[in-house]
Structure formats: structure tokens, C-alpha cells
Amino acid sequence: MSTWTDMRDKALEAMKEGAIDVVEETKQEFIDNFIEAGMPAIKAYAELFSATVQEQAKNETGWVKIRDMLVIPLAVKAVLGVGSGVLSMVRGKTSKATTA
């Protein structure tokens, strides 16, 4: 197995055994870290993926061309926008609820 697979399996096993204490603070830190570090990485990958698909569309015809030029990039952008919006909303409501 790869190192990544070993690390993943150990982390999952530790979670099953209760080694990770998931309290409200842990959840908030996860959301904050995911928004600040995870989302930019996901957005960068999605932009590269969309650009690559659009570039490939130049060599396609018919439905595949429409799919690659418009449908996939728009779907990726929509999912990222909705996901970012939901996470930001949750982050804001969670912050307000814990400070009240």
C-alpha cells in the first residue's frame, strides 16, 4: 500500500476508536480551515479542469462540444459557488451562535 493509504487507514481507525474528540470548537476550526485552505485548492483544481475541458472542446463536435464548452464548466462553477456560499453562511451563523 501507499503511504497515503496507510495514513488514511490509520486516521480512520483512530476516529472509529474515539481518538479524535469532535467538540464544537473542533467543528468550527474544521470549517474555518476548510474555507481558508481547502476551498482555494479545490477552486484551483476546478478552474484547471474546466479550462482543460474547454480546450478539448475545440476538437469535438455536436453534443460533446456543447457539453465540454458549456455544460461541464458551468456545472463546476455552480457547484463551487453554492458550496462556498453554504460554507460561508454556516460559518457566519455558527460564529454568531457561539458568541451569543
Side-chain angles (χ1 to χ4, degrees), residues 31-32 35-36 86-96:
I31 289 173
D32 290 342
I35 289 171
E36 293 169 11
V86 168
L87 286 173
S88 295
M89 182 178 63
V90 167
R91 180 189 210 181
K93 289 187 184 266
T94 303
S95 296
K96 289 177 188 175

